[in-house]
């Protein structure tokens, strides 16, 4: 990716308590990628700007409205298919033009997947079934919030559940 889309940060930790301030830690640098300009616009403040973009998605969804995408901090694209502005299906993909896959959950039914739409809330989800009641399919999955996602089989005998929609308290494509 072009270096103009990389952001670099340097962090130092300085301890402080009632006895005073201690020496700062050695600097730690961290580089991020900003959003790909083809799929997002710069926004002021914390509100993510979603870009309407048709994508190829896994067929399991209870939503059939417009599709929006943006880049995630996981170096993946998150895709949203709307039921309405507050209820939507969340997908992940490794590439803008690749297939967008369901996200499975090893410890619950995806309530923490609202993290992918920048919500700190645990959301409501569609019908919650056991993994062996769901068709087996390829998809991304994880067990806990903030954990990196893995790719493999979800549903079926995998013990990984997935749902048809999420409500995260975050309107897509943005504030109304």
């Amino acid at each position: 990716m072009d270096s103009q889309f990389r952001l670099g940060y340097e962090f130092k930790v300085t301890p402080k308590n009632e006895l005073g301030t201690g020496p700062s830690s050695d600097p730690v640098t961290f580089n991020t990628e900003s959003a790909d300009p083809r799929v997002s616009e710069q926004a002021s403040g914390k509100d993510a700007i979603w870009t309407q973009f048709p994508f190829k998605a896994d067929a399991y969804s209870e939503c059939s409205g417009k599709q929006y995408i943006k880049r995630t901090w996981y170096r993946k694209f998150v895709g949203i298919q709307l039921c309405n502005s507050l209820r939507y299906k969340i997908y992940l993909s490794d590439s803008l033009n690749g297939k967008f896959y369901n996200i499975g959950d090893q410890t619950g039914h995806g309530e923490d997947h609202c993290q992918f739409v920048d919500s700190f809330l645990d959301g409501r989800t569609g019908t919650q079934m056991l993994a062996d009641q769901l068709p087996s399919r390829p998809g991304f999955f994880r067990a806990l919030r903030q954990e990196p996602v893995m790719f493999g089989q979800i549903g079926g005998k995998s013990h990984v559940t997935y749902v048809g929609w999420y409500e995260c308290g975050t309107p897509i494509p943005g504030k109304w």
Side-chain angles (χ1 to χ4, degrees):
M1 172 166 257
D2 190 327
S3 63
Q4 70 179 343
F5 302 119
R6 292 200 179 280
L7 298 174
Y9 300 92
E10 181 176 282
F11 297 94
K12 292 181 185 180
V13 176
T14 304
K16 183 178 179 181
N17 63 21
E18 65 276 356
L19 300 175
T21 302
S24 295
S25 67
D26 290 334
V28 175
T29 58
F30 182 75
N31 291 317
T32 64
E33 284 186 25
S34 65
D36 185 323
R38 294 178 300 162
V39 298
S40 68
E41 301 168 17
Q42 293 298 93
S44 60
K46 294 182 179 178
D47 298 319
I49 300 295
W50 294 82
T51 299
Q52 189 173 343
F53 187 89
F55 57 85
K56 297 174 277 193
D58 185 346
Y60 188 83
S61 176
E62 295 176 35
C63 302
S64 58
K66 291 180 181 178
Q67 295 177 323
Y68 293 87
I69 66 172
K70 73 176 188 82
R71 251 335 243 234
T72 71
W73 60 96
Y74 283 103
R75 301 187 94 168
K76 299 200 180 310
F77 289 92
V78 61
I80 300 299
Q81 181 148 24
L82 298 180
C83 287
N84 60 52
S85 67
L86 291 172
R87 180 178 287 183
Y88 32 78
K89 177 64 179 180
I90 304 172
Y91 299 98
L92 288 177
S93 178
D94 285 321
S95 67
L96 180 61
N97 294 313
K99 188 170 185 179
F100 281 70
Y101 293 94
N102 272 281
I103 310 166
D105 199 332
Q106 293 173 301
T107 58
H109 294 278
E111 298 87 349
D112 65 333
H113 294 166
C114 290
Q115 176 185 19
F116 295 112
V117 296
D118 301 326
S119 174
F120 296 103
L121 304 173
D122 278 352
R124 292 183 52 223
T125 65
T127 305
Q128 299 179 354
M129 296 189 286
L130 298 173
D132 62 1
Q133 296 172 306
L134 294 164
S136 181
R137 60 183 1 100
F140 290 97
F141 63 93
R142 68 178 188 186
L144 303 169
R145 181 182 289 269
Q146 301 290 357
E147 187 176 71
V149 293
M150 296 174 282
F151 189 81
Q153 287 299 308
I154 61 175
K157 296 181 182 183
S158 70
H159 303 291
V160 179
T161 63
Y162 56 91
V163 296
W165 56 263
Y166 301 84
E167 288 180 352
C168 299
T170 300
I172 308 290
K175 289 188 173 187
W176 293 96

